[in-house]
């Protein structure tokens, strides 16, 4: 899960499925609605961070990305926040206390 | 040259035929008397265990068929196992054995894509002709029960010589009166009981043209609410597309090879006895057994499944009938299942859907 700068704790919803279909392509599937969203491998890594029980912040997720991939840009924090914003808009994550 | 295809790590969907038992004996049933018509049926626990494996492999959808799935008293338990493992499901049925309790259970899961009820006539006289007495009444009762429970419903119309003239009424019944958002159509393929009753259930080229004209006209009226993967509507569209390309002197990308079926790139099927098969229509191709062989192993490594997927590398030019065919580079060689039941071979084009043969036998293009 992630702790955002305004101390919100977000975690993936229980029913969500991460489908790592190909090396360069994954899908987030919500079986409750039948809707799905395509994501990149880095998106899949961020998603796994959001699904984990550990309370991570953006910097910790950026660290995980740097460990797993080469050439992660300096702007990665913004990209992580954008990703989180988009899965939140899709209703794929929920607030936890 | 053909493209290189990539295989998904796991199947997206799984088709499970949970029983061979059926309350009807339709003359074009593809299941009865096929290799999938196994007497053995798996107990609840085996399916539950398998659905857990599907869920852990991120399978998204399970299609539950048979036989008649509503004959299994543990259908709700099987559906619960699908849902508990974060998947959605659809059920294929003739409608006659649906009860209000089970329908409400399906609705309450919130995960049912739809229940598909076969409807081949707008009256008992037409519908029951090849399905047997009482089938229409059962289908309509099933639809009513599902509707009352709030389950999404769709229908499949199998087009045959006795219902071509009734197609307007059937579509009006399903879409206008019952309010189904969309329905699909096909025609009998040379499988299961349809082989025994071939004379009666197969359309002649003239009937095929009549059916194509009718269903194309209806699809113009109802837009994409009438769909087809096979049968007269799919053929009318497919043949027209092939002819347009031929006239322009071009091929259609990805064609000219045995590309008629892409399903085994995204789904796998299981017979009632737990045997993995590439598709319910290719039920003779045993690939292993659930809960003994891992889904992932079969999916990624089974030699026969790999060979079947690689049909797309086999050029049509290799086959005598296709060698000088004007539509060769616009053709997919069609569904391999029909090829098998005709010839005992899957690595060849399916003559039942062959455009050249259709025209030679008196068929004609229908304006789509
Ligand atoms: S002969 Fe039939 S199957 Fe072969 S390429 Fe021509 S239309 Fe296709
Ligand atoms: S083998 Fe034929 S029926 Fe089976 S999935 Fe492929 S095209 Fe469809």
């Amino acid at each position: 899960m992630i702790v955002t700068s305004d101390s919100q704790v977000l975690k993936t919803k229980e029913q969500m499925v991460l489908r790592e279909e190909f090396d360069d392509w994954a899908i987030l599937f919500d079986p409750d609605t039948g809707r799905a969203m395509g994501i990149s491998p880095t998106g899949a890594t961020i998603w796994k961070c959001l699904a984990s029980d550990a309370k991570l912040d953006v910097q910790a997720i950026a660290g995980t990305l740097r460990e797993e991939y080469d050439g992660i840009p300096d702007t990665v924090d913004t990209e992580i926040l954008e990703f989180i914003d988009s899965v939140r808009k899709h209703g794929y994550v929920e607030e936890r206390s | 040259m053909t493209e290189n295809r990539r295989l998904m790590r796991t199947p997206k969907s799984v088709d499970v035929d949970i029983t061979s038992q059926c309350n009807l004996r339709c003359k074009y049933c593809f299941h009865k008397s096929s290799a999938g018509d196994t007497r053995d049926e798996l107990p609840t626990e085996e399916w539950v265990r398998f659905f857990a494996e599907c869920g852990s492999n991120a399978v998204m959808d399970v299609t539950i068929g048979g036989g008649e799935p509503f004959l299994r008293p543990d259908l709700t338990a099987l559906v619960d196992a699908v849902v508990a493992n974060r998947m959605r499901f659809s059920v294929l049925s003739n409608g006659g054995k649906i009860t209000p309790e089970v329908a409400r259970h399906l609705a309450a899961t919130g995960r049912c894509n739809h229940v598909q009820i076969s409807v081949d006539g707008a009256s008992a006289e037409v519908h029951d002709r090849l399905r047997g007495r009482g089938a229409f009444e059962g289908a309509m009762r099933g639809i009513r029960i599902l509707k009352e429970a709030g389950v999404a419903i769709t229908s499949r119309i199998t087009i045959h010589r006795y219902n071509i003239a009734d197609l307007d009424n059937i579509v009006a019944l399903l879409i206008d009166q019952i309010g189904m958002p969309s329905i699909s159509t096909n025609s009998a393929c040379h499988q299961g009981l349809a082989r025994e009753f071939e004379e009666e259930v197969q359309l002649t080229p003239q009937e095929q043209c009549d059916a194509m004209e009718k269903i194309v006209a209806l699809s113009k009226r109802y837009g994409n609410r009438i769909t087809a993967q096979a049968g007269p509507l799919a053929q009318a569209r497919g043949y027209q597309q092939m002819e347009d390309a031929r006239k322009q002197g071009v091929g259609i990308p990805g064609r000219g090879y045995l590309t008629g079926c892409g399903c085994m790139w995204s789904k796998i099927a299981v017979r009632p006895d737990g045997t993995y098969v590439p598709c319910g229509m290719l039920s003779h191709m045993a690939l292993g057994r659930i809960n003994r062989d891992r889904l992932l192993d079969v999916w990624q490594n089974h030699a026969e499944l790999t060979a079947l997927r690689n049909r797309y590398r086999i050029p049509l030019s290799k086959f005598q009938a296709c060698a000088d065919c004007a539509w060769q580079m616009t053709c997919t060689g069609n569904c391999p299942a029909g090829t098998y039941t005709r010839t005992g071979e899957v690595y060849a084009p399916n003559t039942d859907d062959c455009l050249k043969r259709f025209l030679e036998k008196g068929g004609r293009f229908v304006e789509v």
Side-chain angles (χ1 to χ4, degrees):
Chain A
M1 56 188 103
I2 184 168
V3 188
T4 60
S5 54
D6 50 1
S7 303
Q8 250 192 340
V9 181
L10 295 174
K11 194 169 194 295
T12 55
K13 280 190 182 162
E14 198 79 44
Q15 84 273 11
M16 290 299 300
V17 177
L18 169 66
R19 221 185 111 71
E20 292 179 278
E21 220 154 65
F22 299 106
D23 289 346
D24 56 359
W25 171 257
I27 283 176
L28 291 178
F29 173 57
D30 182 351
D32 280 352
T33 62
R35 281 197 283 274
M37 167 182 156
I39 58 171
S40 64
T42 48
T45 302
I46 303 172
W47 180 262
K48 285 180 200 165
C49 291
L50 288 173
S52 84
D53 288 330
K55 282 190 176 173
L56 306 167
D57 57 15
V58 174
Q59 285 71 37
I61 298 178
T64 306
L65 287 174
R66 289 204 171 88
E67 270 167 36
E68 285 188 21
Y69 304 92
D70 294 332
I72 293 292
D74 296 341
T75 53
V76 70
D77 287 11
T78 320
E79 283 165 35
I80 293 169
L81 289 171
E82 278 169 8
F83 179 85
I84 291 169
D85 198 39
S86 106
V87 290
R88 198 208 305 237
K89 278 191 186 128
H90 278 84
Y92 294 167
V93 289
E94 63 192 2
E95 249 185 88
R96 292 283 174 92
S97 49
Chain B
M1 194 42 214
T2 169
E3 85 271 42
N4 272 322
R5 292 191 181 179
R6 296 193 304 168
L7 181 63
M8 294 171 178
R9 282 203 187 111
T10 66
K12 228 177 184 151
S13 58
V14 175
D15 295 352
V16 295
D17 286 342
I18 57 171
T19 182
S20 286
Q21 290 179 51
C22 192
N23 48 315
L24 302 179
R25 192 180 152 83
C26 309
K27 285 188 170 171
Y28 36 70
C29 173
F30 80 90
H31 184 87
K32 283 258 176 282
S33 87
S34 75
D37 188 9
T38 64
R39 231 181 296 154
D40 289 350
E41 271 185 21
L42 297 182
T44 319
E45 314 78 74
E46 287 244 38
W47 286 116
V48 169
R49 211 171 125 203
F50 176 63
F51 293 144
E53 189 183 4
C54 292
S56 63
N57 283 298
V59 169
M60 295 158 77
D61 284 294
V62 176
T63 301
I64 302 171
E68 174 49 51
F70 284 90
L71 279 175
R72 268 196 76 138
D74 60 352
L75 180 62
T76 53
L78 302 185
V79 158
D80 287 347
V82 169
V83 170
N85 288 290
R86 303 186 301 168
M87 297 179 284
R88 292 180 70 82
F89 66 93
S90 312
V91 189
L92 314 180
S93 168
N94 61 47
K97 291 291 166 187
I98 300 177
T99 62
E101 297 72 40
V102 176
R104 281 196 291 269
H105 192 98
L106 300 192
T109 64
R111 298 274 185 85
C112 181
N113 292 323
H114 57 246
V115 174
Q116 177 186 290
I117 307 288
S118 308
V119 177
D120 301 343
S123 64
E125 195 194 346
V126 179
H127 179 90
D128 292 359
R129 180 94 191 228
L130 296 176
R131 290 193 181 269
R133 254 175 84 182
F136 182 73
E137 201 249 309
M140 292 303 120
R141 188 179 55 243
I143 289 172
R144 196 181 59 244
I145 292 171
L146 291 168
K147 218 176 158 187
E148 278 165 12
V151 177
I153 319 165
T154 185
S155 269
R156 164 73 54 87
I157 308 171
T158 300
I159 302 175
H160 51 69
R161 71 180 50 130
Y162 307 117
N163 69 6
I164 297 173
D166 201 33
L167 281 173
D168 290 291
N169 299 331
I170 306 171
V171 173
L173 169 70
L174 299 175
I175 295 187
D176 299 333
Q177 289 176 44
I178 297 172
M180 293 184 192
S182 66
I183 56 170
S184 59
T185 62
N186 69 359
S187 58
C189 63
H190 192 66
Q191 293 250 306
L193 285 185
R195 293 170 298 178
E196 198 178 311
F197 298 104
E198 174 161 26
E199 273 301 300
E200 195 171 4
V201 304
Q202 291 294 341
L203 297 169
T204 64
Q206 184 51 50
E207 288 163 347
Q208 208 176 329
C209 292
D210 295 346
M212 280 157 82
E213 263 162 17
K214 267 264 173 159
I215 198 70
V216 163
L218 282 163
S219 81
K220 284 179 185 161
R221 198 178 329 148
Y222 288 89
N224 51 16
R225 294 178 74 182
I226 306 178
T227 64
Q229 304 282 345
L233 182 57
Q235 282 161 334
R237 289 173 175 160
Y239 291 167
Q240 184 68 65
Q241 189 193 11
M242 289 165 75
E243 176 63 352
D244 288 347
R246 185 199 64 80
K247 277 192 195 146
Q248 290 166 34
V250 295
I252 299 176
R255 304 227 176 155
Y257 293 82
L258 292 178
T259 48
C261 174
C263 307
M264 53 281 276
W265 290 85
S266 62
K267 71 164 193 184
I268 195 163
V270 184
R271 295 193 320 211
D273 63 355
T275 304
Y276 288 109
V277 290
C279 157
M281 310 278 270
L282 289 169
S283 56
H284 68 287
M285 285 180 99
L287 306 171
R289 191 190 184 282
I290 64 164
N291 303 332
R292 185 194 69 198
D293 303 304
R294 285 177 56 228
L295 172 64
L296 220 58
D297 265 352
V298 173
W299 177 254
Q300 294 181 350
N301 305 321
H302 198 287
E304 184 126 30
L305 189 54
T306 306
L308 194 62
R309 290 192 187 113
N310 283 332
R311 282 175 95 251
Y312 83 101
R313 294 178 182 279
I314 303 173
L316 287 166
S317 54
K318 213 184 116 182
F319 302 97
Q320 206 184 354
C322 307
D324 62 353
C325 173
W327 294 277
Q328 190 195 97
M329 293 315 290
T330 70
C331 181
T332 66
N334 317 309
C335 163
T339 319
Y340 174 75
T341 39
R342 286 273 178 217
T343 66
E345 164 72 85
V346 289
Y347 300 100
N350 176 350
T351 48
D352 282 2
D353 282 320
C354 167
L355 170 57
K356 188 171 92 173
R357 189 162 166 270
F358 168 68
L359 295 173
E360 281 167 3
K361 294 198 154 200
R364 59 179 189 280
F365 292 101
V366 167
E367 186 67 47
V368 295

